[in-house]
Amino acid sequence: LGEYSASASDISFASSAVHCAEEFSAYNISADDMASAINGLEDMNPSLCAKLKDMSLISAAYRAELKNTYGTDGENLEMLSKVLEKNNFFSDSVVVIDSFYGFTPQELLVIKHILRQAREVHITFCTEKDDTDKVFERAYEASKDSLRNEINEAKSKKIENIGIVIGAEGGFTPKEAEE
């Protein structure tokens, strides 16, 4: 490590670095993506580039260690998505996805397969539809935005039984998601 060499033995740094590696994975940020970012920033911000290089090394080492120890590099949702692509596991099922604030790209891939297969899908988010607090407004709009494409695609395939619930009350239907 370059930029973080002095912190490498600090347990709190290691914990934060592992958390970052897991976030990179959840949002499908690969080593190639990081290399591209580094190449575009080297002249403008050398310190940031050094930090990104270190985080890329840490992320790669963490994934390699996971694979060596557990036989997987921690991409469980990606593996699940590939399995669901080939198998109709949720056929004629009612699926409830409860208490989320939003979804990562990997979670959305899994939800897309569930929407295609299940008879009904109900998704609840941790916010109130009519809450005037701007904190909740962002979660409500993000929930509509993150599922809009998946709902429209499901509707185009004549899947009708999709409902989204925001908090204990309120919600929106696929028609409202289009708006």
Side-chain angles (χ1 to χ4, degrees):
L1 296 180
E3 187 75 18
Y4 293 121
S5 60
S7 303
S9 61
D10 181 2
I11 193 72
S12 63
F13 171 77
S15 176
S16 294
V18 165
H19 178 74
C20 284
E22 290 169 345
E23 287 289 305
F24 293 151
S25 177
Y27 285 91
N28 295 328
I29 299 171
S30 68
D32 290 340
D33 295 330
M34 294 192 65
S36 294
I38 291 166
N39 288 337
L41 292 172
E42 280 186 305
D43 293 335
M44 293 188 299
N45 196 332
S47 176
L48 177 59
C49 287
K51 291 175 183 179
L52 286 173
K53 285 178 185 176
D54 283 359
M55 291 311 302
S56 182
L57 287 171
I58 292 167
S59 183
Y62 178 67
R63 286 184 183 184
E65 184 62 29
L66 284 176
K67 190 161 186 84
N68 185 41
T69 304
Y70 300 108
T72 176
D73 62 358
E75 303 292 337
N76 294 335
L77 289 176
E78 185 178 317
M79 290 176 9
L80 175 60
S81 180
K82 289 177 182 176
V83 168
L84 291 176
E85 192 171 333
K86 297 175 184 172
N87 300 286
N88 203 8
F89 181 79
F90 292 100
S91 177
D92 203 37
S93 297
V94 175
V95 177
V96 177
I97 302 171
D98 188 31
S99 300
F100 279 82
Y101 291 96
F103 299 106
T104 67
Q106 287 187 349
E107 290 167 341
L108 284 171
L109 283 174
V110 172
I111 290 171
K112 181 185 277 189
H113 293 297
I114 294 170
L115 288 171
R116 289 180 182 154
Q117 296 175 14
R119 180 170 41 93
E120 291 183 39
V121 178
H122 302 273
I123 302 173
T124 64
F125 289 88
C126 299
T127 183
E128 299 293 334
K129 179 180 180 181
D130 296 324
D131 197 317
T132 58
D133 189 336
K134 294 291 184 193
V135 170
F136 295 116
E137 181 181 312
R138 181 179 170 270
Y140 175 73
E141 291 303 321
S143 65
K144 279 177 61 173
D145 291 344
S146 68
L147 291 170
R148 180 173 284 118
N149 291 338
E150 282 72 19
I151 289 171
N152 288 335
E153 186 175 326
K155 281 184 64 187
S156 73
K157 294 181 177 8
K158 305 296 186 233
I159 299 170
E160 304 272 335
N161 298 319
I162 302 166
I164 310 297
V165 176
I166 308 299
E169 304 171 23
F172 58 87
T173 63
K175 182 176 183 190
E176 291 171 318
E178 295 171 354
E179 299 170 356

